[in-house]
PDB file of all heavy atoms in Angstrom:
ATOM      1  N   ASN A 340       5.360  12.158  -1.476  1.00 96.00           N
ATOM      2  CA  ASN A 340       4.517  13.239  -0.910  1.00 96.00           C
ATOM      3  C   ASN A 340       4.516  14.513  -1.811  1.00 96.00           C
ATOM      4  O   ASN A 340       4.788  15.562  -1.341  1.00 96.00           O
ATOM      5  CB  ASN A 340       5.133  13.523   0.511  1.00 96.00           C
ATOM      6  CG  ASN A 340       4.144  14.424   1.421  1.00 96.00           C
ATOM      7  OD1 ASN A 340       2.972  14.371   1.098  1.00 96.00           O
ATOM      8  ND2 ASN A 340       4.654  15.111   2.370  1.00 96.00           N
ATOM      9  N   THR A 341       4.063  14.219  -3.018  1.00 97.00           N
ATOM     10  CA  THR A 341       4.148  15.326  -3.982  1.00 97.00           C
ATOM     11  C   THR A 341       2.759  15.527  -4.565  1.00 97.00           C
ATOM     12  O   THR A 341       2.033  14.614  -4.878  1.00 97.00           O
ATOM     13  CB  THR A 341       5.091  14.850  -5.131  1.00 97.00           C
ATOM     14  OG1 THR A 341       6.428  14.600  -4.656  1.00 97.00           O
ATOM     15  CG2 THR A 341       5.164  15.894  -6.276  1.00 97.00           C
ATOM     16  N   SER A 342       2.389  16.779  -4.861  1.00 97.00           N
ATOM     17  CA  SER A 342       1.171  17.118  -5.427  1.00 97.00           C
ATOM     18  C   SER A 342       1.267  16.723  -6.954  1.00 97.00           C
ATOM     19  O   SER A 342       2.144  17.237  -7.719  1.00 97.00           O
ATOM     20  CB  SER A 342       0.877  18.624  -5.341  1.00 97.00           C
ATOM     21  OG  SER A 342      -0.199  18.963  -6.186  1.00 97.00           O
ATOM     22  N   MET A 343       0.349  15.885  -7.372  1.00 98.00           N
ATOM     23  CA  MET A 343       0.391  15.449  -8.754  1.00 98.00           C
ATOM     24  C   MET A 343      -0.390  16.429  -9.702  1.00 98.00           C
ATOM     25  O   MET A 343      -0.456  16.185 -10.895  1.00 98.00           O
ATOM     26  CB  MET A 343      -0.258  14.076  -8.881  1.00 98.00           C
ATOM     27  CG  MET A 343       0.500  12.980  -8.023  1.00 98.00           C
ATOM     28  SD  MET A 343       2.293  13.068  -8.169  1.00 98.00           S
ATOM     29  CE  MET A 343       2.554  12.560  -9.903  1.00 98.00           C
ATOM     30  N   LEU A 344      -0.759  17.462  -9.106  1.00 97.00           N
ATOM     31  CA  LEU A 344      -1.231  18.564  -9.993  1.00 97.00           C
ATOM     32  C   LEU A 344      -0.096  19.510 -10.412  1.00 97.00           C
ATOM     33  O   LEU A 344      -0.253  20.264 -11.330  1.00 97.00           O
ATOM     34  CB  LEU A 344      -2.216  19.518  -9.224  1.00 97.00           C
ATOM     35  CG  LEU A 344      -3.543  18.855  -8.726  1.00 97.00           C
ATOM     36  CD1 LEU A 344      -4.343  19.775  -7.894  1.00 97.00           C
ATOM     37  CD2 LEU A 344      -4.348  18.290  -9.837  1.00 97.00           C
ATOM     38  N   LYS A 345       1.010  19.343  -9.703  1.00 95.00           N
ATOM     39  CA  LYS A 345       2.175  20.193  -9.966  1.00 95.00           C
ATOM     40  C   LYS A 345       3.323  19.512 -10.650  1.00 95.00           C
ATOM     41  O   LYS A 345       4.263  20.170 -11.225  1.00 95.00           O
ATOM     42  CB  LYS A 345       2.640  20.875  -8.710  1.00 95.00           C
ATOM     43  CG  LYS A 345       1.581  21.717  -8.022  1.00 95.00           C
ATOM     44  CD  LYS A 345       2.108  22.207  -6.711  1.00 95.00           C
ATOM     45  CE  LYS A 345       1.070  23.126  -5.979  1.00 95.00           C
ATOM     46  NZ  LYS A 345       1.581  23.645  -4.691  1.00 95.00           N
ATOM     47  N   LYS A 346       3.431  18.211 -10.535  1.00 96.00           N
ATOM     48  CA  LYS A 346       4.583  17.489 -11.082  1.00 96.00           C
ATOM     49  C   LYS A 346       4.135  16.177 -11.516  1.00 96.00           C
ATOM     50  O   LYS A 346       3.321  15.496 -11.037  1.00 96.00           O
ATOM     51  CB  LYS A 346       5.638  17.380  -9.956  1.00 96.00           C
ATOM     52  CG  LYS A 346       7.041  17.000 -10.463  1.00 96.00           C
ATOM     53  CD  LYS A 346       8.076  17.215  -9.401  1.00 96.00           C
ATOM     54  CE  LYS A 346       9.415  16.987  -9.968  1.00 96.00           C
ATOM     55  NZ  LYS A 346      10.480  17.245  -8.896  1.00 96.00           N
ATOM     56  N   ASN A 347       4.865  15.650 -12.579  1.00 96.00           N
ATOM     57  CA  ASN A 347       4.738  14.274 -13.034  1.00 96.00           C
ATOM     58  C   ASN A 347       5.971  13.476 -12.870  1.00 96.00           C
ATOM     59  O   ASN A 347       7.107  14.072 -12.870  1.00 96.00           O
ATOM     60  CB  ASN A 347       4.328  14.263 -14.506  1.00 96.00           C
ATOM     61  CG  ASN A 347       2.864  14.739 -14.759  1.00 96.00           C
ATOM     62  OD1 ASN A 347       1.976  14.280 -14.036  1.00 96.00           O
ATOM     63  ND2 ASN A 347       2.722  15.753 -15.616  1.00 96.00           N
ATOM     64  N   GLN A 348       5.865  12.148 -12.745  1.00 94.00           N
ATOM     65  CA  GLN A 348       7.003  11.254 -12.666  1.00 94.00           C
ATOM     66  C   GLN A 348       7.484  10.916 -14.050  1.00 94.00           C
ATOM     67  O   GLN A 348       6.870  10.071 -14.720  1.00 94.00           O
ATOM     68  CB  GLN A 348       6.628  10.000 -11.927  1.00 94.00           C
ATOM     69  CG  GLN A 348       7.771   8.970 -11.786  1.00 94.00           C
ATOM     70  CD  GLN A 348       8.715   9.276 -10.700  1.00 94.00           C
ATOM     71  OE1 GLN A 348       8.364   9.473  -9.515  1.00 94.00           O
ATOM     72  NE2 GLN A 348       9.981   9.426 -10.996  1.00 94.00           N
ATOM     73  N   GLU A 349       8.451  11.563 -14.592  1.00 97.00           N
ATOM     74  CA  GLU A 349       8.964  11.332 -15.899  1.00 97.00           C
ATOM     75  C   GLU A 349       9.892  10.116 -15.916  1.00 97.00           C
ATOM     76  O   GLU A 349       9.859   9.286 -16.848  1.00 97.00           O
ATOM     77  CB  GLU A 349       9.690  12.579 -16.422  1.00 97.00           C
ATOM     78  CG  GLU A 349       8.806  13.797 -16.520  1.00 97.00           C
ATOM     79  CD  GLU A 349       7.759  13.685 -17.633  1.00 97.00           C
ATOM     80  OE1 GLU A 349       7.738  12.673 -18.376  1.00 97.00           O
ATOM     81  OE2 GLU A 349       6.997  14.728 -17.803  1.00 97.00           O
ATOM     82  N   ARG A 350      10.737  10.056 -14.985  1.00 97.00           N
ATOM     83  CA  ARG A 350      11.773   8.991 -14.889  1.00 97.00           C
ATOM     84  C   ARG A 350      11.127   7.651 -14.536  1.00 97.00           C
ATOM     85  O   ARG A 350      10.272   7.540 -13.647  1.00 97.00           O
ATOM     86  CB  ARG A 350      12.846   9.329 -13.905  1.00 97.00           C
ATOM     87  CG  ARG A 350      14.013   8.324 -13.758  1.00 97.00           C
ATOM     88  CD  ARG A 350      14.900   8.700 -12.651  1.00 97.00           C
ATOM     89  NE  ARG A 350      15.563   9.973 -12.877  1.00 97.00           N
ATOM     90  CZ  ARG A 350      16.729  10.205 -13.508  1.00 97.00           C
ATOM     91  NH1 ARG A 350      17.366   9.040 -13.943  1.00 97.00           N
ATOM     92  NH2 ARG A 350      17.235  11.288 -13.651  1.00 97.00           N
ATOM     93  N   ARG A 351      11.542   6.593 -15.166  1.00 98.00           N
ATOM     94  CA  ARG A 351      11.039   5.269 -14.761  1.00 98.00           C
ATOM     95  C   ARG A 351      11.769   4.806 -13.503  1.00 98.00           C
ATOM     96  O   ARG A 351      12.968   4.905 -13.491  1.00 98.00           O
ATOM     97  CB  ARG A 351      11.273   4.204 -15.847  1.00 98.00           C
ATOM     98  CG  ARG A 351      10.449   2.902 -15.664  1.00 98.00           C
ATOM     99  CD  ARG A 351      11.004   1.718 -16.469  1.00 98.00           C
ATOM    100  NE  ARG A 351      12.140   1.144 -15.961  1.00 98.00           N
ATOM    101  CZ  ARG A 351      13.339   1.195 -16.475  1.00 98.00           C
ATOM    102  NH1 ARG A 351      13.601   1.816 -17.633  1.00 98.00           N
ATOM    103  NH2 ARG A 351      14.331   0.564 -15.888  1.00 98.00           N
ATOM    104  N   VAL A 352      11.023   4.482 -12.486  1.00 97.00           N
ATOM    105  CA  VAL A 352      11.653   3.987 -11.247  1.00 97.00           C
ATOM    106  C   VAL A 352      11.121   2.542 -10.898  1.00 97.00           C
ATOM    107  O   VAL A 352       9.977   2.311 -11.030  1.00 97.00           O
ATOM    108  CB  VAL A 352      11.302   4.906 -10.048  1.00 97.00           C
ATOM    109  CG1 VAL A 352      12.101   6.279 -10.165  1.00 97.00           C
ATOM    110  CG2 VAL A 352       9.813   5.270  -9.925  1.00 97.00           C
TER     111      VAL A 352
END
Side-chain angles (χ1 to χ4, degrees):
N340 194 22
T341 302
S342 171
M343 301 314 293
L344 298 178
K345 299 178 180 179
K346 195 167 186 178
N347 288 310
Q348 179 81 55
E349 299 291 359
R350 182 185 297 269
R351 195 194 81 247
V352 288

